[in-house]
Amino acid sequence: NNYVSVSQARSKHNLINLIRTMPKLQTHAAALKKQRLKIKEKSAKYVPGTVNLQVLGSGAYGAPRSLYMFTDQSRYLFNCGEGTQRLAHEHKMKLAKLEHIFFTYGSWNNIGGLPGMSLTIQDVGIPEITLHGPQGIDDIFRAAKRFIVLNHLKINTSNYKEVDHFEDNVMRVNYVPLDIGEETSRSRRSEAVSLDRASAKQR
């Protein structure tokens, strides 16, 4: 028993020392952030040689519609539904340079993957990310602030009412606000209710 107690105490002591000597996330993130800013400043002067498009999700069940655009300098994501991060991993798409996410519509199908995606890109040292889309896109972070801690990632939003486009050395995206109208909204809600009732009957 004494041998077991000594062994356990020694293991506990070793574990405490290991935790103390482990690199802290704050230092790790700060160093990566500084490194990425330097790389970004250099690459901003040049036009990329190639631009690639990768369909991450088609909108089918378990594959939220999402398009990934990337060059040798930067990354852009169009829509970020729940499961987008998993799809990016399956397609071996690196998120290390992702700084802009564009949303075609402010539904959960398009924004549900934002919290998890934000934690991942914060961990790889991305200093800030800009969300382009309808107003209120960033509300999801305020709702999840108790369990989504983003101390080292700055969340920016681009207000389409103040500027009508986004442009950098890679591309230009024009913002086109779409008003689906009250009648269309009512029709969609009615259709959704009908589908729910049909599903319930089948069960």
Side-chain angles (χ1 to χ4, degrees):
N1 290 338
N2 291 336
Y3 175 77
V4 173
S5 299
V6 171
S7 178
Q8 289 177 345
R10 186 176 300 168
S11 298
K12 183 178 180 181
H13 177 72
N14 292 338
L15 179 60
I16 292 174
N17 286 336
L18 177 63
I19 294 174
R20 285 176 179 172
T21 57
M22 286 178 65
K24 302 298 186 294
L25 178 61
Q26 184 174 359
T27 306
H28 169 72
L32 285 175
K33 180 178 179 180
K34 186 180 294 185
Q35 181 182 1
R36 291 186 183 283
L37 286 174
K38 289 182 179 179
I39 296 174
K40 184 179 179 181
E41 289 177 1
K42 291 181 179 179
S43 62
K45 302 176 183 178
Y46 307 100
V47 176
T50 59
V51 177
N52 302 281
L53 294 174
Q54 172 71 49
V55 177
L56 294 181
S58 62
Y61 182 76
R65 53 183 175 270
S66 183
L67 179 68
Y68 196 49
M69 176 178 172
F70 59 97
T71 71
D72 54 343
Q73 301 175 3
S74 51
R75 308 284 189 271
Y76 309 88
L77 183 65
F78 293 83
N79 291 327
C80 185
E82 190 173 4
T84 300
Q85 187 176 347
R86 170 183 55 81
L87 293 173
H89 178 72
E90 290 178 358
H91 289 287
K92 298 181 180 180
M93 294 288 103
K94 295 182 179 180
L95 304 173
K97 297 180 181 179
L98 179 62
E99 293 184 348
H100 295 275
I101 303 180
F102 299 85
F103 299 92
T104 56
Y105 190 70
S107 66
W108 180 258
N109 290 334
N110 289 348
I111 69 172
L114 262 181
M117 182 72 73
S118 300
L119 288 173
T120 298
I121 61 179
Q122 174 184 244
D123 191 44
V124 298
I126 294 177
E128 60 181 346
I129 190 166
T130 302
L131 310 179
H132 307 259
Q135 286 183 312
I137 288 293
D138 57 336
D139 288 347
I140 190 172
F141 294 107
R142 284 190 283 272
K145 64 181 180 181
R146 290 189 176 183
F147 55 91
I148 301 295
V149 181
L150 301 173
N151 292 331
H152 305 289
L153 178 67
K154 182 180 179 182
I155 306 293
N156 301 317
T157 56
S158 182
N159 190 343
Y160 70 90
K161 292 185 177 181
E162 297 177 357
V163 293
D164 62 354
H165 72 280
F166 160 78
E167 186 173 8
D168 62 3
N169 64 318
V170 176
M171 67 174 181
R172 175 186 172 109
V173 177
N174 293 314
Y175 302 145
V176 182
L178 301 177
D179 185 6
I180 61 176
E182 181 62 26
E183 189 65 30
T184 306
S185 298
R186 193 181 302 113
S187 175
R188 286 186 177 180
R189 288 195 295 268
S190 176
E191 182 180 352
V193 171
S194 299
L195 289 173
D196 289 340
R197 289 175 178 172
S199 299
K201 288 181 180 179
Q202 290 177 357
R203 292 174 186 172

